[in-house]
């Protein structure tokens, strides 16, 4: 049999590995432990209450156990049978009542939060309404009051309540922005779910699909970009401006016949697939190819945007296996021209 020391020695590398893996979860924008808005704060509050109660139970139980193990251990030569406590009323009442009290302390705020967080703000005139539709493997964001449809990047004004109506176009997904709020399932069968959140601070917050939905589930990222209300208004106006086709007629013809059959830019094309308006100033291409440089978290880097677009258009299946965009047959000139054109489709709304 393996002795305890050998066992620990074998376990050590695994433990070290887990520490590394779990430490990576501490990335600021993907952590529920670093809440950036009131909804996430409320959820974090519940976690803290639960963890505190559990820690207290662990400490007390272990302390009593240790005390009992040491104080009442069998001494050599002692043959007596200890006092039996089976059926002791006093003890039974104590170990029934204490857990009940702890559960009440945990249960009351939990139930309160459940009701609080399920409030429906969709009829609140102050709230910004967003219809979130999940697709394998992208997110569509529609602002019904503003007549805007976009994808992968949810732009919101700081300080305003965002009233989300969440649904799916295909299978079950789950909408989750760890540092702001979540999560809410998007259910098949025409069912819609509601949630709300807000961001008091400007910033970009990473969102994830939190329900295994297919081979590229893990790549189904999106961003929430909170900007000041004036920038938001500029964004909402800019994204509705008409967009011109590529200036080179060959590139324009390819783009129109091979891309606009699915996608829309400005008032051109079809509405059923990711709307590409303003893609040049988005944080990412396809939600997963990041456009912003690590050392400059604020602005999309022009060359990176071009390279990401090129990479995506050339072989979308390589980036996101199983996604619904086919590899389109393009000449090198068309490919470069379209990537260039899309990288220049920027929206100028931030100051
Ligand atoms: C059959 C429909 C279809 C055609 C044709 C098509 N696409 Fe797509 N495209 C999609 C879908 C679906 C996605 C979303 C994929 C995902 O992320 O899961 C997508 C995603 C994209 C994205 C990323 C969008 C984002 O919001 O980040 C770009 C860029 C793009 N397509 C460009 C093009 C270009 C350029 C062409 C023409 C050469 C083209 N697509 C042709 C369906 C199509
Ligand atoms: Cu999903």
């Amino acid at each position: 049999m393996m002795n305890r020391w050998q066992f620990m020695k074998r376990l050590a590398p695994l433990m070290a590995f887990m520490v590394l893996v779990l430490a990576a979860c501490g990335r600021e924008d993907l952590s529920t432990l670093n809440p950036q808005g009131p909804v996430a704060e409320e959820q974090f509050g519940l976690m803290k209450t639960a963890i505190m109660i559990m820690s207290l139970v662990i400490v007390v139980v272990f302390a009593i156990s240790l005390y009992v193990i040491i104080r009442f251990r069998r001494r050599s030569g002692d043959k007596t049978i200890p006092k039996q406590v089976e059926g002791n009323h006093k003890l039974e009442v104590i170990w029934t009542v204490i857990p009940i009290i702890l559960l009440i302390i945990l249960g009351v705020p939990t139930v309160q939060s459940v009701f609080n967080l399920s409030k429906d703000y969709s009829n609140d005139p102050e709230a910004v309404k967003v219809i979130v539709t999940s697709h394998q493997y992208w997110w569509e964001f529609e602002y019904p009051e503003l007549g805007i449809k976009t994808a992968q990047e949810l732009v919101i004004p700081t300080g305003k309540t965002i009233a989300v109506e969440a649904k799916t176009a295909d299978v079950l997904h789950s909408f989750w922005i760890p540092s702001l709020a979540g999560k809410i399932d998007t259910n098949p069968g025409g069912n819609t779910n509601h949630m709300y959140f807000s961001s008091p601070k400007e910033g970009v917050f990473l969102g994830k699909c939190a329900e295994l939905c297919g081979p590229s589930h893990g790549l189904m990222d999106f961003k929430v970009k909170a900007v000041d209300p004036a920038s938001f208004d500029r964004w909402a106006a800019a994204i509705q401006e008409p967009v011109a086709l590529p200036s080179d007629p060959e590139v324009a013809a390819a783009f129109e016949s091979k891309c606009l059959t699915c996608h829309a830019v400005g008032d051109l094309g079809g509405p059923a697939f990711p709307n590409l308006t303003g893609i040049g100033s988005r944080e990412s291409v396809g939600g997963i190819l990041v456009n912003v440089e690590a050392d400059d978290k604020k602005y999309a880097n022009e060359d990176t945007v071009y390279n990401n677009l090129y990479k995506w258009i050339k072989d979308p299946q390589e980036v996101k296996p199983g996604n619904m965009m086919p590899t389109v047959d393009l000449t090198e000139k068309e490919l470069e021209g379209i990537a260039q054109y899309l990288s220049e489709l920027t929206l100028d709304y931030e100051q």
Side-chain angles (χ1 to χ4, degrees), residues 276-338:
L276 303 179
T277 315
I279 188 146
S281 44
R282 288 213 209 128
E283 298 280 320
S284 65
V285 171
I288 194 75
L289 299 174
V290 180
N291 292 337
V292 282
E293 300 288 324
D295 51 345
D296 171 21
K297 276 255 179 192
K298 201 159 159 56
Y299 297 104
N301 179 297
E302 260 172 63
D303 294 338
T304 320
V305 179
Y306 172 83
N307 290 334
N308 284 342
L309 282 163
Y310 182 95
K311 185 172 174 189
W312 174 271
I313 301 163
K314 191 175 167 107
D315 193 355
Q317 296 301 320
E318 158 113 20
V319 180
K320 256 189 197 180
N323 89 78
M324 305 298 159
M325 173 161 157
T327 304
V328 183
D329 198 17
L330 297 168
T331 64
E332 185 60 27
K333 183 186 169 197
E334 289 166 344
L335 176 56
E336 285 173 7
I338 290 173

Side-chain angles (χ1 to χ4, degrees), residues 43 63 100 103 110 130 159 185 192 205 220 230 235 255 298 323 329 332:
Q43 293 169 335
I100 288 176
L103 285 181
T110 304
V130 179
D185 280 359
T192 54
F205 307 96
M220 197 170 154
W235 172 81
F255 185 65
K298 201 159 159 56
N323 89 78
D329 198 17
E332 185 60 27

Side-chain angles (χ1 to χ4, degrees), residues 255-275:
F255 185 65
E256 213 175 356
S257 64
K258 292 176 178 168
C259 312
L260 290 184
T261 41
C262 283
H263 293 285
V265 287
D267 47 354
L268 309 168
F273 296 90
N275 189 312

Side-chain angles (χ1 to χ4, degrees), residues 19-291:
V19 166
L20 282 177
V21 170
L22 295 174
C25 297
R27 239 175 82 192
E28 188 186 82
D29 48 2
L30 201 55
S31 177
T32 50
L33 306 180
N34 186 10
Q36 301 294 314
V39 170
E41 260 154 35
E42 181 158 351
Q43 293 169 335
F44 186 46
L46 283 182
M47 281 191 251
K48 281 193 290 196
T49 314
I51 288 170
M52 253 145 60
I53 291 177
M54 289 186 276
S55 312
L56 182 77
V57 170
I58 289 175
V59 169
V60 170
V61 168
F62 272 71
I64 295 174
S65 309
L66 272 178
Y67 174 77
V68 169
I69 288 167
I70 294 165
R71 173 79 177 72
F72 299 107
R73 71 186 185 280
R74 181 180 214 159
R75 281 156 226 267
S76 54
D78 184 358
K79 292 263 160 51
T80 57
I81 290 181
K83 190 178 148 204
Q84 300 299 295
V85 293
E86 194 189 332
N88 184 317
H89 271 120
K90 210 180 185 175
L91 281 175
E92 283 182 359
V93 167
I94 290 175
W95 67 54
T96 310
V97 168
I98 292 177
I100 288 176
I101 293 173
L102 292 179
L103 285 181
I104 289 172
I105 297 174
L106 188 60
V108 170
T110 304
V111 172
Q112 240 168 17
S113 285
V114 166
F115 282 99
N116 204 10
L117 295 176
S118 63
K119 268 191 232 152
D120 180 3
Y121 280 90
S122 51
N123 292 318
D124 183 338
E126 289 295 304
V128 177
K129 258 132 269 175
V130 179
I131 301 172
V132 171
T133 309
S134 53
H135 300 253
Q136 280 171 318
Y137 303 95
W138 59 282
W139 296 91
E140 181 180 341
F141 303 118
E142 181 181 356
Y143 303 67
E145 293 164 325
L146 304 172
I148 296 171
K149 252 192 192 178
T150 186
Q152 316 289 27
E153 190 166 306
L154 176 60
V155 180
I156 61 166
T158 50
K160 287 250 193 175
T161 301
I162 314 302
V164 171
E165 194 183 307
K167 50 186 195 174
T168 177
D170 38 54
V171 301
L172 179 64
H173 304 267
S174 183
F175 180 72
W176 188 30
I177 321 145
S179 59
L180 289 179
K183 26 185 122 144
I184 194 94
D185 280 359
T186 60
N187 298 327
N191 163 302
T192 54
N193 281 330
H194 294 274
M195 74 167 225
Y196 70 91
F197 68 96
S198 62
S199 173
K201 281 184 271 179
E202 285 177 41
V204 177
F205 307 96
L206 187 54
K208 278 261 174 203
C209 175
E211 192 72 63
L212 184 60
C213 57
S216 280
H217 156 70
L219 306 173
M220 197 170 154
D221 288 13
F222 62 97
K223 305 283 187 302
V224 172
K225 185 167 187 173
V227 297
D228 66 277
S231 298
F232 178 77
D233 292 342
R234 278 194 296 275
W235 172 81
I239 200 168
Q240 298 188 69
E241 293 284 319
V243 170
L245 281 173
S247 50
D248 184 310
E250 207 180 313
V251 176
F255 185 65
E256 213 175 356
S257 64
K258 292 176 178 168
C259 312
L260 290 184
T261 41
C262 283
H263 293 285
V265 287
D267 47 354
L268 309 168
F273 296 90
N275 189 312
L276 303 179
T277 315
I279 188 146
S281 44
R282 288 213 209 128
E283 298 280 320
S284 65
V285 171
I288 194 75
L289 299 174
V290 180
N291 292 337

